[in-house]
Amino acid sequence: MPHLTLEYSANLEGRTDMGTLCRDLHAAILSSGLFEEGAVRVRAFSARHYAIADLLPQNAFLDMSFRIGEGRSQEERQRAGELIFAAASRHLAPLLAEPYFALSL
């Protein structure tokens, strides 16, 4: 049951390719060697309404929530999280270079 859910501010539309990001994250989850391909789910949802920090219109976020079933050690869960965060960071590098973008897992 590896399910990765992305929630992101709607102002990211057109600033990054969410479909490609989902596929990149799917590949990262599989690269951990902990999960079967048929079990992996990655989905992204846009938050149309939001209020971020000082309310500047350029403020944006992408929050990732990863749920897995029992049976993985703390080290395995940590490694999977690191792979996911690294893949997201690579894809979102241009946004991370800006002071107005927050990425979380």
Side-chain angles (χ1 to χ4, degrees):
M1 178 199 130
H3 291 207
L4 180 64
T5 303
L6 314 179
E7 179 183 358
Y8 62 93
S9 55
N11 64 349
L12 290 181
E13 295 289 343
R15 295 176 65 193
T16 193
D17 183 339
M18 285 296 168
T20 298
L21 176 59
C22 287
R23 290 185 292 280
D24 289 350
L25 295 172
H26 186 275
I29 293 167
L30 287 177
S31 76
S32 72
L34 297 172
F35 310 103
E36 296 178 13
E37 183 175 19
V40 177
R41 306 285 187 271
V42 179
R43 48 193 170 264
F45 301 97
S46 173
R48 195 170 121 202
H49 304 283
Y50 52 88
I52 303 170
D54 55 5
L55 304 178
L56 292 174
Q58 62 267 44
N59 290 345
F61 72 89
L62 188 144
D63 176 58
M64 301 180 286
S65 298
F66 190 49
R67 297 180 304 139
I68 61 174
E70 293 187 27
R72 275 63 176 207
S73 69
Q74 178 64 32
E75 292 78 19
E76 289 171 325
R77 293 190 307 256
Q78 180 73 30
R79 182 167 44 94
E82 288 170 357
L83 289 167
I84 291 166
F85 200 84
S89 295
R90 281 190 302 275
H91 181 93
L92 299 164
L95 293 170
L96 286 167
E98 300 175 6
Y100 305 104
F101 177 67
L103 175 65
S104 60
L105 173 61

